[in-house]
Amino acid sequence: MKDRSPVRNGSGLHAKRSAHGSIGFAAGIMLVAHLIRLPVLPESIPQFVDITGSSNITFRHMNGAERNKRYLFELKGGGAGFFDFDKDGWLDLFMVQGSTLERFRKGDNPHGALYRNQGDGTFKDVTRKSGLTRTAWGMGVSFGDYDNDGFADIYLNNLGANFLYRNRGDGTFEDVTERAGVGGSGWTSSSAFGDYDGDGDLDLFACNYIHYDFQNLQPPDPKLVCHYRGTTIPCGPLGLQAGSNRLYRNNGDGTFADVTVESGLDENNHFYSLGVVWADLDGDKDQDLYLANDSTPNQLYVNQGNGTFKEMGLLSGLATSAAGDFQGGMGVDAADYDNDGRLDVFVTNFAHDYSTLYRNRGGLMFEDVTQQAGLIQPEWLLVGWGTGFYDLDHDGWKDIFHSNGHVYPFILDAEWSETYFQPSSIYINQRDGTFRDVRKMAGGDLQKELLGRGMAFADVDNDGDMDFLIGNLNGVPLLYRHQGASPNHWVMFRAKGVRSNRDGIGARITVVTGRLRQVWEIKRTVGIYSASDPRAHFGLGKAGLIDRVEVRWPSGVVQEFKDVAADRHYLIDEAKGLEREFLPETKAKRVIHAGPRRTTKGH
């Protein structure tokens, strides 16, 4: 979120950039060129239906006052996550709850909610039974099987101390925060599990946005006055003290060590981190760390393979826009949208700017191709948050989806084209380096204007396409079911590590159908505040049979499988190979390949 610097009783600060005029003119030219292309056929556009009402999800988010928001943290939050906590084959849902200043000061914060997927389109609230009742002012959530017992654990990001819940495997969780040593303090926005040192267990990174003393919260300084388009707003982030990000190394015994300093990360971070993704962005077979920062340069920490990182945001081109501007980075995802085998990056940003698409050119060089991709004009007045690269029409090319919603309630009373509640964004990949805005053609329910924040993606009904949930600030979440778009084929893979971490996070899966070659890297954290289905999802176009599937595990093991049938869910076991997973009604399994066709050790 790109807010403005504090000024002492000064005049209004505005969001305009020096390049505003030139970018706007260029965007207009690109829009005309975009509109004269052959259109995407209507039957290929995915349709989404809001099923919240029939799903039995009754959660309502609270986060500060509805209108009179005095602190920056009242504008944020709204995280959510999908994970199969009970291993019944259905993706369950966790909703992060915020609080209010009155409840926070009384120590009367609420807690989040765990909903069990019933497998029939409905969810059941099992929060109390699960033991997830510790209270806090929550922001976000991440999942990871940190103890490699086969059950995903929960890390909650809060104002103040964070919580780590260990999944006992019997439907309940235990609070192991103190023993694990990952409570921290401050304002944690997003977090993510990844195995950066390749030792077979999951490490943890936590983004800390802004430093507040929550034990002694002071009223905003009346001498500091900030403006947005001439109206007074909560100050920040510029001018406020940035929070200190933390990297925790998994010791393999249920505890973690804070290795922020020794790993080469900046303990005294001067940037305002909101979104994070672990991804092998330089293609050297280990996980790098990319941070979306608000109003300051984004950061790329390149894994050196020896337990340390080197910051290369500016050198790589991932720190700023093409014009060299610092943007209001919030949500982030990394995936190969152009099918060249390299992971690209998309970052959502604040209004009067554009969310940025970075193409990976190889050699650790990234280019801001947002203008060429046709994405600048529809982004200009939106405040983007959660996001993800997913193949929504199953044509073999990843599309882009993100939630939107403004932060300043006074806009409700302003007669502007800029709005407080905003529709979400869906861009279909046109397979030529460009994207098409198809939100208005993707179903009536997708036209709803929201205070969108976190987004979580999952195949909640196990039918092979990606559904999603949008967290709404001070409102109810919306669960959208994908109605299908075309007769195109699909495939999904669940990874089970043995030498590698049990979640298979960091495993890279390559799918080859004819001349089309796609890659997917396993992860859980996507966008901002949120976590998604860890299964690898591929659209296959007209191909009903996959020529070849290759899996490269973090351990160095490589597996290859040939002639794999489409339109199915599979389990890929690092030791046993590939087997089909039938839907949970039968829970029967049939071995497709007993083991890897080819296994290679080492990087």
Side-chain angles (χ1 to χ4, degrees), residues 10-22:
S11 58
L13 297 180
H14 299 279
K16 296 181 180 179
R17 286 176 168 49
S18 60
H20 186 150
S22 60

Side-chain angles (χ1 to χ4, degrees), residues 27-89:
I29 295 176
M30 290 301 298
L31 176 63
V32 173
H34 179 71
L35 292 175
I36 64 175
R37 289 191 180 96
L38 291 176
V40 177
L41 296 178
E43 59 268 23
S44 70
I45 297 173
Q47 303 293 300
F48 295 93
V49 176
D50 176 7
I51 61 169
T52 313
S54 62
S55 70
N56 293 337
I57 297 173
T58 58
F59 178 86
R60 183 178 180 84
H61 183 249
M62 66 175 70
N63 207 74
E66 294 273 349
R67 297 289 294 263
N68 184 28
K69 295 180 180 290
R70 302 179 357 180
Y71 295 90
L72 212 57
F73 50 80
E74 295 184 86
L75 313 178
K76 312 278 186 173
F82 284 110
F83 73 132
D84 184 5
F85 81 92
D86 52 4
K87 293 184 66 175
D88 66 350

Side-chain angles (χ1 to χ4, degrees), residues 324-570:
D325 291 326
F326 304 157
Q327 298 181 279
M330 290 187 282
V332 60
D333 195 13
D336 180 17
Y337 80 88
D338 53 0
N339 288 332
D340 64 357
R342 297 185 290 265
L343 300 186
D344 311 292
V345 174
F346 184 75
V347 181
T348 57
N349 291 309
F350 198 67
H352 297 272
D353 201 346
Y354 57 86
S355 293
T356 311
L357 178 64
Y358 296 99
R359 184 183 178 195
N360 190 336
R361 294 289 190 180
L364 206 59
M365 296 300 297
F366 290 78
E367 179 185 2
D368 176 356
V369 295
T370 317
Q371 180 171 307
Q372 298 92 307
L375 293 174
I376 286 183
Q377 190 273 341
E379 288 288 306
W380 202 256
L381 294 180
L382 300 176
V383 179
W385 296 88
T387 189
F389 281 110
Y390 290 95
D391 187 355
L392 300 174
D393 55 2
H394 291 175
D395 66 350
W397 297 76
K398 294 175 183 64
D399 312 300
I400 297 173
F401 202 113
H402 68 81
S403 60
N404 302 303
H406 220 293
V407 297
Y408 303 132
F410 79 85
I411 293 177
L412 286 167
D413 302 318
E415 296 181 359
W416 296 346
S417 55
E418 187 173 2
T419 60
Y420 188 52
F421 296 94
Q422 299 183 341
S424 303
S425 298
I426 175 172
Y427 301 110
I428 293 297
N429 192 328
Q430 300 202 110
R431 295 173 282 180
D432 61 357
T434 67
F435 290 80
R436 183 182 181 193
D437 180 359
V438 299
R439 189 256 306 169
K440 293 183 178 179
M441 295 175 280
D445 287 350
L446 206 61
Q447 314 314 311
K448 297 178 180 179
E449 297 187 340
L450 318 169
L451 283 183
R453 292 299 188 261
M455 281 195 75
F457 298 84
D459 182 7
V460 298
D461 49 8
N462 284 332
D463 66 351
D465 50 38
M466 299 307 294
D467 314 296
F468 61 88
L469 179 139
I470 299 177
N472 277 304
L473 193 78
N474 295 105
V476 298
L478 292 186
L479 177 62
Y480 286 92
R481 184 180 64 221
H482 192 303
Q483 291 291 83
S486 70
N488 289 337
H489 297 283
W490 58 272
V491 70
M492 290 187 75
F493 300 101
R494 179 169 69 88
K496 180 182 178 181
V498 179
R499 288 179 52 193
S500 303
N501 66 84
R502 188 68 173 264
D503 280 343
I505 290 178
R508 181 171 290 202
I509 300 174
T510 301
V511 166
V512 179
T513 51
R515 299 178 63 183
L516 184 63
R517 179 186 177 96
Q518 304 178 61
V519 300
W520 185 281
E521 197 168 281
I522 300 291
K523 60 182 179 294
R524 285 185 182 268
T525 295
V526 174
I528 186 171
Y529 310 137
S530 304
S532 292
D533 194 334
R535 296 175 290 187
H537 172 265
F538 295 88
L540 303 173
K542 304 305 179 185
L545 188 70
I546 301 168
D547 299 328
R548 182 168 60 88
V549 176
E550 180 184 290
V551 187
R552 191 195 72 207
W553 293 88
S555 66
V557 170
V558 177
Q559 297 170 315
E560 185 179 273
F561 313 103
K562 294 183 178 179
D563 301 327
V564 177
D567 303 321
R568 295 175 180 174
H569 287 267
Y570 293 95

